Amino acid sequence: SPRGSSRGGRAREGSPRLQANPYDGPFAVMQGLQREVHELRALLKEEKEQRMSEVRQFHDVVDLLRDTVAKEVTERKAQCHALTNDLIVLRSSHQKAVDELKHSCRSHFDQFNQILQDEMRDRKAAEDLSVTREQAADMERRHDSSMIRQEFGMYKSQFSSFRDDLCGRIDEMCHCMEFILAHLAKVSHASEITQNVTSFFRSKRTGSTLSSPRAAPLDERVSLSTNQTEQVQMSKALSRTSWGTMKSAYTATRASSRPRSA
């Protein structure tokens, strides 16, 4: 203690034996160490109390935080549960919508595929029908063409035969007309001669051959008969010329048409 140290100092000052005590230094050191230990204990106690108060504050804060976190966790759990339920409902609704969309798309696709198949079948049937119609029309046209050619050949042969028959008939008519004209000329000549002779004999019987004003002279009658004969011959020549011209024209027409028909 300080008192002991002061007493010891005084005793050391008063007695020379005590001045040379070897434990005074360590004792002083030990006393200093004790003082430091007491100070450190006091400081440690204060620090401990301060730390304890801080720890109590920390405990209070932690308890408060625990309560807050518990409430927050409860609220978050409730929110998560609600979100989970909402997500489940939304997922179910979305799944239902997706299923309905798939079903509608599948049904529409099936309908479209059916319509497409029907259209393809109809177009194929129409194409086959058009091909069949074209083939039938082609066959009908070929048949009509062959029939037209046959009819044309038949008409051509009929026309050729009719033309040949007509030309033959015209030749026969020309020959008959020539024969008729020749006989008509003979008949007219004979009738003229008969009339002249008859008139001559009549005039001779009556005796008025020279005095009758009605009776013409014999020379005049003969000249008249000659003129009539010339007229008949001229008409005969004209008729022969006209019929010959017609005959030559038909013959030329037949000769010109034969190479074409060939």
Side-chain angles (χ1 to χ4, degrees):
S1 67
R3 292 180 180 180
S5 62
S6 61
R7 289 177 182 175
R10 289 176 183 176
R12 282 193 302 268
E13 289 177 359
S15 62
R17 288 185 301 176
L18 294 175
Q19 290 181 357
N21 192 358
Y23 294 103
D24 291 335
F27 183 75
V29 172
M30 289 179 64
Q31 286 181 352
L33 290 174
Q34 286 179 356
R35 284 194 301 270
E36 290 178 1
V37 169
H38 287 299
E39 290 177 359
L40 289 174
R41 283 180 178 177
L43 291 174
L44 181 61
K45 187 177 180 180
E46 292 177 0
E47 185 70 22
K48 187 177 180 180
E49 291 177 355
Q50 184 178 358
R51 295 297 180 183
M52 287 178 68
S53 64
E54 291 178 358
V55 167
R56 281 194 298 270
Q57 291 178 0
F58 286 149
H59 280 296
D60 296 335
V61 171
V62 168
D63 293 333
L64 181 62
L65 290 174
R66 283 179 179 176
D67 296 335
T68 305
V69 168
K71 292 179 181 180
E72 187 72 21
V73 167
T74 305
E75 292 177 357
R76 293 296 175 86
K77 283 183 179 181
Q79 291 178 0
C80 290
H81 185 69
L83 288 174
T84 304
N85 294 329
D86 294 337
L87 287 174
I88 292 170
V89 173
L90 185 63
R91 184 179 178 182
S92 62
S93 62
H94 285 178
Q95 188 68 31
K96 186 177 179 181
V98 169
D99 293 336
E100 290 178 356
L101 183 62
K102 286 182 179 179
H103 181 70
S104 63
C105 289
R106 189 177 293 107
S107 62
H108 288 304
F109 181 75
D110 293 336
Q111 291 177 2
F112 179 73
N113 191 14
Q114 186 66 30
I115 292 169
L116 186 61
Q117 293 294 330
D118 295 338
E119 184 68 21
M120 290 174 63
R121 186 168 54 254
D122 293 338
R123 289 190 178 183
K124 189 175 181 180
E127 185 177 359
D128 294 337
L129 182 61
S130 64
V131 170
T132 305
R133 287 180 179 176
E134 288 179 359
Q135 291 178 357
D138 191 10
M139 292 177 65
E140 187 176 358
R141 284 194 296 269
R142 289 181 181 177
H143 180 70
D144 293 339
S145 178
S146 63
M147 292 296 293
I148 289 170
R149 288 179 181 176
Q150 291 177 2
E151 290 178 359
F152 181 73
M154 183 179 65
Y155 292 152
K156 192 174 182 181
S157 62
Q158 290 179 0
F159 177 73
S160 299
S161 62
F162 177 75
R163 183 184 58 200
D164 296 335
D165 189 13
L166 183 62
C167 290
R169 289 184 180 181
I170 289 172
D171 293 335
E172 292 177 359
M173 288 174 66
C174 290
H175 182 69
C176 292
M177 288 298 294
E178 289 177 359
F179 183 75
I180 291 169
L181 287 173
H183 282 283
L184 285 175
K186 289 180 182 180
V187 169
S188 64
H189 184 66
S191 65
E192 288 175 0
I193 292 171
T194 304
Q195 287 178 2
N196 290 328
V197 171
T198 304
S199 62
F200 176 73
F201 282 110
R202 283 179 181 176
S203 64
K204 192 172 182 180
R205 284 178 184 178
T206 57
S208 60
T209 306
L210 297 174
S211 61
S212 178
R214 295 179 180 179
L218 181 60
D219 296 332
E220 291 179 359
R221 292 177 182 176
V222 171
S223 62
L224 181 61
S225 64
T226 304
N227 292 328
Q228 289 178 355
T229 303
E230 290 178 355
Q231 289 178 1
V232 169
Q233 289 179 356
M234 288 177 66
S235 63
K236 183 178 179 180
L238 288 173
S239 62
R240 285 180 179 178
T241 304
S242 62
W243 283 107
T245 304
M246 291 174 65
K247 184 178 179 182
S248 63
Y250 277 107
T251 305
T253 304
R254 183 175 62 183
S256 63
S257 62
R258 280 179 182 176
R260 293 180 183 176
S261 63

